Amino acid sequence: MAAPGEKIRGAAWVTAVVAAILSLLSLALFPSIANGEVLISRIEWVPQLGLNLTLRLDGLAWLFAVLITCIGFLVVLYARYYMSPKDPIARFHALLLAFMGAMLGLVMSGNIIQLAIFWELTSLVSFLLIGYWYHRGDARDGARMALIITGTGGLALFVSMLVIGHIVGSYELDDVLASGSKIVESPLYPVALILFLLGAFTKSAQFPFQFWLPNAMTAPTPVSAYLHSATMVKAGVFILTRFWPVMHDHQLWFWIVTYTGLATLIFGAYTALFQRDLKGLLAYSTISHLGLITTLLGMGTPLAAVAAIFHIANHATFKASLFMAVGIIDHETGTRDVRKLSGLRKYLPFTATLAIIASAAMAGVPLLNGFLSKEMFFTETAEFDPNVFVNLSLPIGATLAGMLSVAYSIKFVHGVFFGPPPTELEKVPHEPPALMRRPIEILVLICLAVGIIPGITIAPYLAAAVHSVLGADTPYYSLSVWHGFNLPLIMSIIAMVGGAVIYVPYYRKLRDIDGVPLTRGLMGQRVFERILVTATNRWARHLVGAFGTQRLQPQIFVVIFLALAAGIAAGWARMGNLPLPQSFDPVLGLVWLLGGISALAAAQQAKFHRLASMILMGGAGLATCLTFAWFSAPDLALTQLLAEIATTVLILLGLRWLPKRSPVPESTPMAARLRRYRDVALAGLVGLGTALASYAIMTRSAPEGISDFFLANAYKEGGGTNVVNVMLVDFRGFDTMGEITVLGVVALTVFGLLRRFRPASDSAERPEQQRVLDDYAPGSSENVADDFLRIPALIMNWLFPVVVVVAIYMLMRGHDLPGGGFIAGIIMSLAFILQYLAGGTRWVEERLRILPLLWIGWGLLLALLTGIGAMVLGAPFLTSAFAYADIPLIGKVPMATALIFDLGVFALVVGATVLMLIALAHQSIRRPKVAGSNKPKQRAGTDKWN
Amino acid sequence: MELTLAIAIGVLSASGVYLLLRPRTFQVIIGLSLVSYAVNLFILSMGRLRMDAAPILSGADADITNYADPVPQALVLTAIVIGFAMTALFLVVLLAARGLSGSDHVDGKGD
């Protein structure tokens, strides 16, 4: 066991190495996609339905892949120092890797169904990561809210993908992107668009769905930096960009996307200004920047799309570094509350410098990357539009949002790093380990490099991404820092000055204000919570009250009644004219006269005379068994007979723990009697229905089934003449594999339940019969078999080897004659049970070591290995090979690998049957603890069974 | 012949269903067993009834028209074994419930 510290390092190392390899791989792929080539790798799954695993890497996907892997790598490095050794660190790293995989799958999906699936996967992992500290209520609430919002959006997106696939006639992304104006011209376009936008807007936290993102800030800060600013929330704008070429050319798109984006942009920036929690401020800032990107994509011009893609990359770099800086502040001071923080510049000089540069990028200060894309945004909003409203609202809204974002950036920098030294902190902050700052340094360096020399840093990568979206429509755009003194620059200046004007006079108020003025009533969150409470609590309670019951009988009644109704509805019309019976077999008639009477009598006796009822049930079972033999199914007859014996022993063992029940002479109440009549009526109808259905089917000729295939190929392909057995161990071997697994699971469950078995107090005493014997001669109840069954017991003892030989014989010949693993297995277990009956539990276990758990384990393993053996030889799982071997004295013996599989079945059936029976039998010889009493258990002798 | 088996299936399922609706756990177990007999016979009858049809192939060049349908048989064979396991599991659940609640009523309360 490694020390906790080592484990952290181990988990972090694994993740870091994976992330580093992935980053290098993505970076290395750039030359291949630089000239517009699209890399595709396809694994076919159900090509007939258009369902394939297609990975497709073009410029846009590449840009995202690099952001995901590189920022992922930096976040892992950062988290190495951020996370506390007390946190379950392996889970954190595992989820981080899972997220990276899901997100890469999303951006590289070449199939739109696959895209929707990866989309949901990112929501799921995000849920787990937000709820990482699940002992905290706010983390659980935030996680649930994020999952419900983004998951619902994902569902809408999935449907829209189906609609788009329907319009285009293909689910391959290549076909969709090549479909030209087909989608926009389709009458289904509005449906597809609304659903599509629901998906994109919920994921990218667009108004009015933005409220989940601030609540997701309960996640550890590395997660916030990675998922909730740099990558996952970008999935929404990613998909807008991805489908932009085929969907943007429509008025609906323009109005909805542009103005949702603009509303989000302004709302986010405005709300950010009033946040006390630094992460809350960054969260609203993220919302605002996502709104900016959405606005750009809504405008529909190629240049706006270029700006959007550029801003996606820029925002990811500066926002991730800011989140990491806030994480350091939180780590060093113990708080993220802006009211408690101030003057940290003196304590954290390096972190302060880095955070100030990143905030400047966020505010759009020149010579930083944020400035470039923001200028492009301003340029686009200032473009002339014939519509007066558009012409005014876009530039004014953009400038207003610019002012607000400058103001909140100043608030962040000034409030935290400047001013008097903090007084309310619990500890004196100091710089974190240099390595914790390294990721921030790298990101800030990128901000500077892109901002100062864009032409030689970002240009080729941006060009590839832009080209993959716009193709031949790629416009000319300039990345230079200085465009001359023009309208966008004026807007920028107004924003800068305006931001300062907003902040400076009011900074004390902004710092202490509680809540957001004006929009306080606009609480999407409150609406969401009310809906949630109503739907999952109040409505659910009403529904349960109206339709639910704790009682089993009404539930079973409804189930059977519905099944009957469905059967009648389906079968009534197809019943047709039933032919009169053609033949009657008096012997079979007699068998079933007895069998039917047994069944009815068993039903009647089950309440008060359990033993009689069980014997009568056996009578019906025997009739069933004879019927199997009658209609040419010897394997079934054998199995039925053996299972019947095992069931009987089992129930006999259980009877002892049931309460004594004798017929009450007093009359049954009217309600109970009515209920009984009702049940008799329902049971009668079900019986009539099944009888009619089976008669109708049996009197028609059989349809062309698959049986002929098995009959024709059993010998040729499977090497056996017992077709039923060949099917079980060869053709349908995988089914059998599943079935024996179920059998093993059931046996273990029985065993597990019985280990903690507590009998009811009135059954805990030893049975009356044993007490009578002991009163007569003390200890005689221990040797019942010897006293009462001496001769049968002797015969049973001697029969043991005979029965074992019969079992082996049945196993060996199963492939060609009736027999096989199931039958042989039950015979073998009966051999053991006979010994228990003859000698008593203690006697047997002193002489014979039976290890049913091992039988189960080896049986399953053997069956599995046989299957894998076939795979190793290049054939599908569980393919059988066969030959006939000539063994001296015995003669020609079929040797098929299926026999080894059947041996596994045999071992498992032996183990499972013996385990169930013996575990139950052992309850009678232990001195059980009575339910409810706390007396220590007195172990009686031998008991590994309890 | 078909009629006999149809009536048998009907009687078995009727008695089984009646027992499933009873309040005592032991009744439900017996009921389940009876229903599974009925269902197994029902599945077997899907392959149509054939008396004296050979279940075992006589060799590679056997004429496959004279054989019993193996598909329902393979289905029923595993169903019988699983049915046994199910009975065992329910029996143990019944015993455990009786130990916990002191009652053998299916709802675990009252008497």
Side-chain angles (χ1 to χ4, degrees):
Chain A
M1 199 70 185
E6 285 168 40
K7 262 201 283 181
I8 297 176
R9 239 166 281 149
W13 264 109
V14 171
T15 324
V17 167
V18 172
I21 292 174
L22 285 175
S23 331
L24 293 177
L25 280 178
S26 344
L27 289 172
L29 281 172
F30 184 70
S32 325
I33 58 117
N35 45 9
E37 206 184 318
V38 179
L39 303 177
I40 288 191
S41 158
R42 181 172 291 136
I43 300 167
E44 292 198 340
W45 180 36
V46 194
Q48 297 89 340
L49 294 176
L51 294 178
N52 303 314
L53 182 72
T54 312
L55 295 180
R56 179 181 180 283
L57 191 77
D58 62 0
L60 182 69
W62 181 85
L63 182 72
F64 267 90
V66 168
L67 284 177
I68 293 161
T69 51
C70 294
I71 296 187
F73 174 67
L74 296 177
V75 164
V76 173
L77 285 191
Y78 174 79
R80 159 80 182 76
Y81 294 94
Y82 179 84
M83 301 303 285
S84 148
K86 279 176 242 147
D87 293 323
I89 213 74
R91 179 156 56 91
F92 176 81
H93 284 286
L95 288 173
L96 220 53
L97 274 183
F99 172 76
M100 204 181 287
M103 194 69 202
L104 277 177
L106 166 62
V107 298
M108 286 167 59
S109 279
N111 178 299
I112 57 175
I113 304 275
Q114 181 194 335
L115 187 145
I117 288 168
F118 277 113
W119 179 279
E120 290 289 35
L121 275 179
T122 59
S123 297
L124 272 180
V125 184
S126 153
F127 166 75
L128 293 171
L129 278 167
I130 299 170
Y132 175 70
W133 286 313
Y134 51 66
H135 53 273
R136 281 168 43 183
D138 57 342
R140 292 197 300 271
D141 290 345
R144 189 177 51 204
M145 185 187 291
L147 182 69
I148 293 175
I149 301 281
T150 56
T152 313
L155 209 59
L157 183 88
F158 180 53
V159 178
S160 85
M161 289 298 134
L162 293 177
V163 176
I164 289 175
H166 175 73
I167 296 172
V168 176
S170 163
Y171 295 114
E172 291 295 302
L173 186 59
D174 276 327
D175 299 335
V176 173
L177 292 181
S179 66
S181 56
K182 212 169 169 182
I183 299 174
V184 176
E185 281 160 12
S186 159
L188 286 171
Y189 175 75
V191 183
L193 180 73
I194 298 296
L195 291 168
F196 176 79
L197 292 180
L198 267 177
F201 288 173
T202 49
K203 195 82 162 185
S204 275
Q206 295 297 295
F207 187 84
F209 308 111
Q210 81 292 343
F211 54 88
W212 72 264
L213 187 58
N215 283 294
M217 291 298 139
T218 46
T221 299
V223 172
S224 310
Y226 190 32
L227 272 70
H228 305 120
S229 77
T231 55
M232 191 191 82
V233 289
K234 297 277 165 52
V237 287
F238 166 78
I239 201 161
L240 288 177
T241 321
R242 185 86 280 179
F243 286 81
W244 187 90
V246 288
M247 287 182 88
H248 80 276
D249 198 10
H250 196 284
Q251 281 295 305
L252 263 179
W253 171 284
F254 173 78
W255 288 104
I256 301 177
V257 179
T258 310
Y259 283 95
T260 306
L262 196 66
T264 314
L265 167 66
I266 299 172
F267 176 82
Y270 175 70
T271 315
L273 193 54
F274 300 100
Q275 297 302 307
R276 288 169 167 178
D277 178 4
L278 290 180
K279 274 178 88 174
L281 186 150
L282 291 184
Y284 278 105
S285 156
T286 303
I287 291 172
S288 156
H289 280 273
L290 290 167
L292 188 157
I293 299 167
T294 307
T295 315
L296 279 168
L297 289 167
M299 284 190 241
T301 58
L303 270 173
V306 175
I309 297 169
F310 191 23
H311 198 69
I312 288 173
N314 289 339
H315 177 255
T317 45
F318 65 69
K319 194 52 70 64
S321 59
L322 278 173
F323 265 106
M324 292 184 191
V326 166
I328 290 182
I329 294 168
D330 190 9
H331 210 252
E332 295 302 322
T333 64
T335 182
R336 301 193 307 252
D337 192 328
V338 80
R339 286 169 303 174
K340 293 186 187 165
L341 296 166
S342 74
L344 288 184
R345 186 172 43 111
K346 298 200 183 65
Y347 302 90
L348 305 165
F350 295 114
T351 310
T353 315
L354 294 170
I356 292 168
I357 299 174
S359 315
M362 173 163 79
V365 172
L367 293 184
L368 287 161
N369 60 354
F371 171 74
L372 293 175
S373 41
K374 198 170 214 172
E375 282 290 288
M376 288 166 95
F377 171 58
F378 284 162
T379 314
E380 285 312 300
T381 55
E383 283 292 314
F384 175 74
D385 192 284
N387 186 321
V388 183
F389 173 69
V390 176
N391 210 14
L392 287 176
S393 62
L394 283 180
I396 294 178
T399 318
L400 177 65
M403 280 158 61
L404 290 167
S405 73
V406 170
Y408 70 68
S409 302
I410 303 179
K411 172 175 170 169
F412 176 74
V413 170
H414 178 254
V416 175
F417 297 111
F418 292 86
T423 50
E424 291 177 59
L425 296 183
E426 283 160 13
K427 50 184 176 182
V428 180
H430 46 76
E431 279 291 344
L435 276 173
M436 191 174 180
R437 279 201 320 267
R438 198 84 351 121
I440 312 181
E441 287 163 5
I442 294 172
L443 289 169
V444 167
L445 195 67
I446 295 174
C447 291
L448 282 166
V450 171
I452 298 170
I453 38 170
I456 53 173
T457 49
I458 187 81
Y461 311 113
L462 183 63
V466 165
H467 190 78
S468 73
V469 175
L470 297 173
D473 297 334
T474 311
Y476 169 77
Y477 59 92
S478 155
L479 287 179
S480 54
V481 178
W482 177 251
H483 284 278
F485 194 77
N486 52 11
L487 186 59
L489 192 63
I490 297 175
M491 288 164 75
S492 268
I493 294 170
I494 296 176
M496 295 284 163
V497 177
V501 168
I502 293 175
Y503 181 72
V504 173
Y506 298 111
Y507 79 93
R508 276 181 207 288
K509 263 197 183 149
L510 280 175
R511 186 185 155 111
D512 296 327
I513 197 163
D514 188 21
V516 187
L518 297 178
T519 59
R520 216 171 275 157
L522 248 177
M523 290 298 276
Q525 186 177 343
R526 214 172 294 157
V527 175
F528 170 81
E529 273 159 7
R530 194 158 308 154
I531 292 174
L532 199 65
V533 167
T534 314
T536 64
N537 194 349
R538 204 168 311 152
W539 291 356
R541 210 168 336 122
H542 283 312
L543 283 175
V544 170
F547 297 107
T549 170
Q550 299 272 314
R551 292 165 52 221
L552 183 68
Q553 286 169 279
Q555 296 177 24
I556 295 187
F557 186 87
V558 170
V559 169
I560 293 175
F561 183 80
L562 287 179
L564 178 68
I568 291 174
W572 191 257
R574 292 175 218 178
M575 192 63 83
N577 287 328
L578 294 178
L580 289 172
Q582 300 292 317
S583 59
F584 175 72
D585 194 306
V587 182
L588 187 71
L590 192 63
V591 165
W592 275 109
L593 183 67
L594 294 173
I597 291 174
S598 298
L600 292 171
Q604 199 256 330
Q605 294 287 316
K607 186 165 188 184
F608 297 119
H609 305 284
R610 298 193 187 103
L611 186 63
S613 172
M614 192 201 69
I615 294 168
L616 289 165
M617 183 192 91
L622 273 181
T624 310
C625 171
L626 284 174
T627 313
F628 286 145
W630 203 270
F631 294 114
S632 318
D635 280 284
L636 296 193
L638 262 174
T639 317
Q640 179 73 52
L641 185 65
L642 293 163
E644 206 59 48
I645 298 170
T647 311
T648 307
V649 176
L650 189 82
I651 295 180
L652 278 175
L653 286 168
L655 279 181
R656 179 225 178 294
W657 302 105
L658 289 171
K660 204 174 165 76
R661 190 169 292 288
S662 25
V664 201
E666 68 202 59
S667 64
T668 7
M670 194 60 188
R673 231 182 309 160
L674 278 179
R675 203 165 54 226
R676 210 171 292 164
Y677 293 145
R678 187 198 64 181
D679 292 349
V680 167
L682 181 68
L685 282 175
V686 169
L688 192 65
T690 43
L692 276 176
S694 58
Y695 186 71
I697 293 169
M698 281 188 282
T699 48
R700 275 158 222 226
S701 56
E704 189 75 9
I706 50 173
S707 307
D708 288 350
F709 168 83
F710 294 117
L711 285 170
N713 291 300
Y715 190 72
K716 268 181 271 170
E717 305 270 327
T721 52
N722 183 2
V723 189
V724 177
N725 184 268
V726 174
M727 282 179 70
L728 285 177
V729 298
D730 190 338
F731 292 125
R732 310 293 308 155
F734 205 30
D735 285 358
T736 310
M737 179 94 208
E739 266 145 357
I740 58 175
T741 313
V742 170
L743 198 60
V745 170
V746 168
L748 291 177
T749 313
V750 165
F751 180 53
L753 277 171
L754 285 173
R755 277 170 76 92
R756 313 211 101 224
F757 176 62
R758 302 279 178 271
S761 51
D762 55 325
S763 302
E765 282 295 309
R766 286 187 309 138
E768 193 189 338
Q769 292 83 345
Q770 284 186 11
R771 271 178 308 188
V772 170
L773 278 176
D774 280 342
D775 288 346
Y776 174 69
S780 61
S781 71
E782 301 284 325
N783 297 316
V784 188
D786 214 27
D787 288 346
F788 293 88
L789 288 169
R790 186 165 287 175
I791 291 169
L794 191 66
I795 297 174
M796 285 192 254
N797 278 340
W798 286 356
L799 268 178
F800 183 67
V802 180
V803 181
V804 172
V805 168
V806 170
I808 295 171
Y809 174 59
M810 282 291 174
L811 174 68
M812 299 289 288
R813 72 173 209 164
H815 220 46
D816 287 326
L817 289 166
F822 282 111
I823 292 169
I826 306 180
I827 295 180
M828 185 72 186
S829 56
L830 290 180
F832 289 126
I833 299 305
L834 272 182
Q835 300 314 301
Y836 275 81
L837 288 178
T841 313
R842 295 208 176 85
W843 184 86
V844 174
E845 282 169 10
E846 277 160 21
R847 285 159 182 80
L848 209 58
R849 260 162 66 84
I850 307 166
L851 302 165
L853 290 175
L854 282 185
W855 284 83
I856 293 178
W858 279 109
L860 208 52
L861 206 59
L862 205 57
L864 193 66
L865 287 177
T866 320
I868 295 174
M871 283 173 88
V872 170
L873 296 174
F877 187 64
L878 279 173
T879 308
S880 165
F882 65 95
Y884 280 80
D886 223 337
I887 297 175
L889 291 180
I890 297 179
K892 252 176 115 182
V893 174
M895 298 296 280
T897 54
L899 183 65
I900 307 176
F901 180 74
D902 222 11
L903 191 65
V905 173
F906 166 77
L908 188 129
V909 173
V910 174
T913 316
V914 168
L915 182 64
M916 290 190 277
L917 290 172
I918 295 184
L920 194 52
H922 267 257
Q923 301 309 319
S924 295
I925 60 161
R926 74 193 249 217
R927 291 274 171 270
K929 196 164 112 176
V930 176
S933 87
N934 285 323
K935 273 183 288 179
K937 185 165 70 180
Q938 294 169 354
R939 288 191 165 264
T942 64
D943 256 324
K944 64 178 187 294
W945 296 101
N946 301 313
Chain B
M1 198 166 72
E2 280 85 4
L3 188 64
T4 315
L5 190 61
I7 292 174
I9 292 172
V11 170
L12 284 174
S13 49
S15 4
V17 165
Y18 174 72
L19 283 178
L20 288 186
L21 294 165
R22 296 298 90 219
R24 302 291 153 194
T25 46
F26 185 78
Q27 293 173 305
V28 177
I29 287 204
I30 298 286
L32 275 173
S33 296
L34 290 176
V35 169
S36 58
Y37 294 151
V39 171
N40 287 344
L41 286 172
F42 189 80
I43 297 176
L44 182 79
S45 73
M46 292 300 104
R48 308 301 182 272
L49 301 181
R50 301 189 68 164
M51 281 164 62
D52 303 329
I56 303 297
L57 292 173
S58 57
D61 44 358
D63 174 16
I64 60 168
T65 50
N66 287 324
Y67 288 91
D69 189 344
V71 174
Q73 294 196 26
L75 292 176
V76 172
L77 200 148
T78 42
I80 294 172
V81 180
I82 295 284
F84 163 69
M86 184 191 70
T87 310
L89 183 62
F90 279 137
L91 185 74
V92 172
V93 170
L94 175 170
L95 296 180
R98 151 111 172 106
L100 282 177
S101 65
S103 160
D104 70 337
H105 193 280
V106 286
D107 296 333
K109 52 193 169 193
D111 202 56

